[in-house]
Amino acid sequence: MNIDKNYRCRLYSFSLIMIFILSFLLNNIIFFNSKGLLNTANASVKTVYVKKKTKKAVKKVHQKVAYLTFDDGPSENTDKVLHILDKYKIKATFFVVGLNQNKAAVKRLKKIVKRGHSLGIHSLTHNYKQIYASLDAFKKDVYAIRDFVKKSTGIDAKIYRFPGGSSNGVSKTNMYTIINWLESAGFKYFDWNLGGTDAAWPAPSADKIYNDIAMYSKSNSDKIVLIHDSKGKENSVKALPRIINKLKKEGYKFDKITEDTKPVHHNVNKKYKKIK
């Protein structure tokens, strides 16, 4: 009898303890609801939102490229230009002519290639009247300078620059006709969008050559820079280190032109009609 009484007492005490534990759990346990949000099971239910960390999108900044190009060489000034480019560890592009086909010229063409620069063709004679007299005359000039470069260096140059640019107005033949033939023959032509004022005669001062380039160097677009390395262009050579430093300061990196480079093309002179 006493045993049953003691047993009932213990059972009653155990029941009270269990009720207390269950009450505690129901009022304090935190659990996830069906929406994945944290809830508390008490009288005033609160929803806790968990903030997810999101990665900020990284805005890509265009790396500006400056392509230094040198027209009308080779000459003694070409040697000076190559020395400066070596000093700054820059590769450039030389659009050459064939006015002088002596040993010195051949040696300089080979030096351009050996130093890792691009070799482009410009003209055999750089005589506008002869070059642009007719389509046949233009073809003859292109193939003549190409053959001279190939014979001298082994390079079958496919990058080309028009004497006076593709926007020249001196050609007796429709420039659209000439451009169409040039591209169909496998050549890719490159005009320029910075520089070129050193072509004037008498030659501008080194300061003017530098300033004409510096004032347009702040844009965010790639630049094909025209400088001349022919005889009589000593001021262009003098301005070159300042031009390089300015472009570097404006965030440009330097590269040479290849057949894969995106070209810059001038607008063809309005005197020529488009070919349909």
Side-chain angles (χ1 to χ4, degrees):
M1 188 75 178
N2 289 332
I3 294 174
D4 291 338
K5 186 177 180 180
N6 291 335
Y7 175 78
R8 285 196 297 272
C9 287
R10 287 197 298 271
L11 182 62
Y12 179 75
S13 297
F14 177 78
S15 299
L16 288 175
I17 292 170
M18 290 302 297
I19 291 169
F20 175 78
I21 292 172
L22 287 172
S23 177
F24 175 82
L25 291 175
L26 289 172
N27 282 280
N28 292 279
I29 287 182
I30 299 174
F31 62 95
F32 286 94
N33 64 15
S34 60
K35 293 184 179 180
L37 302 175
L38 287 172
N39 288 343
T40 54
N42 51 27
S44 57
V45 178
K46 295 181 180 179
T47 301
V48 179
Y49 294 92
V50 180
K51 292 183 178 180
K52 294 182 180 179
K53 292 183 179 180
T54 56
K55 293 182 179 180
K56 291 183 178 180
V58 180
K59 187 177 180 180
K60 291 184 178 180
V61 179
H62 172 65
Q63 173 59 65
K64 301 185 292 185
V65 182
Y67 300 92
L68 298 179
T69 67
F70 299 90
D71 281 16
D72 299 352
S75 74
E76 291 181 359
N77 283 324
T78 305
D79 298 330
K80 299 172 186 176
V81 168
L82 288 171
H83 177 72
I84 294 170
L85 294 175
D86 281 349
K87 179 181 177 181
Y88 284 92
K89 297 180 180 179
I90 289 173
K91 300 304 179 188
T93 305
F94 292 80
F95 289 98
V96 300
V97 298
L99 289 171
N100 296 313
Q101 299 187 21
N102 52 30
K103 290 182 180 180
V106 172
K107 185 178 180 180
R108 287 180 177 119
L109 291 179
K110 290 180 177 179
K111 188 187 293 187
I112 290 170
V113 175
K114 187 176 180 180
R115 300 283 179 89
H117 304 288
S118 286
L119 200 54
I121 55 177
H122 192 33
S123 171
L124 184 73
T125 65
H126 211 280
N127 184 313
Y128 289 6
K129 288 184 178 180
Q130 291 181 25
I131 298 165
Y132 294 119
S134 67
L135 180 58
D136 286 340
F138 180 80
K139 291 179 182 180
K140 183 179 179 180
D141 185 80
V142 170
Y143 285 135
I145 184 60
R146 181 204 63 180
D147 292 345
F148 170 55
V149 168
K150 188 173 183 179
K151 182 180 178 181
S152 301
T153 66
I155 301 295
D156 187 9
K158 293 295 184 182
I159 58 176
Y160 179 84
R161 174 166 285 159
F162 287 102
S166 64
S167 57
N168 82 82
V170 300
S171 178
K172 292 184 178 180
T173 304
N174 189 325
M175 279 302 296
Y176 287 107
T177 300
I178 289 177
I179 290 170
N180 287 346
W181 172 80
L182 187 73
E183 292 179 332
S184 69
F187 296 96
K188 191 171 182 179
Y189 75 96
F190 293 83
D191 288 311
W192 60 95
N193 56 0
L194 189 62
T197 59
D198 66 333
W201 192 261
S205 67
D207 284 343
K208 177 164 176 50
I209 294 169
Y210 164 77
N211 288 331
D212 287 345
I213 289 176
M215 68 187 299
Y216 294 110
S217 64
K218 295 181 180 294
S219 70
N220 197 41
S221 60
D222 295 344
K223 298 297 184 186
I224 295 183
V225 187
L226 171 56
I227 307 170
H228 291 81
D229 63 328
S230 52
K231 184 179 179 181
K233 299 301 179 182
E234 288 76 17
N235 286 344
S236 299
V237 178
K238 290 178 183 178
L240 182 57
R242 291 174 65 193
I243 291 169
I244 291 172
N245 286 328
K246 176 62 176 176
L247 292 171
K248 288 177 69 175
K249 184 179 178 181
E250 294 299 335
Y252 286 90
K253 74 172 186 176
F254 296 88
D255 204 354
K256 62 184 179 181
I257 289 175
T258 69
E259 292 180 55
D260 296 324
T261 303
K262 183 179 179 180
V264 166
H265 289 167
H266 293 168
N267 292 324
V268 175
N269 193 295
K270 292 180 180 180
K271 69 182 285 185
Y272 305 110
K273 294 182 179 181
K274 287 186 178 181
I275 301 171
K276 296 181 179 180

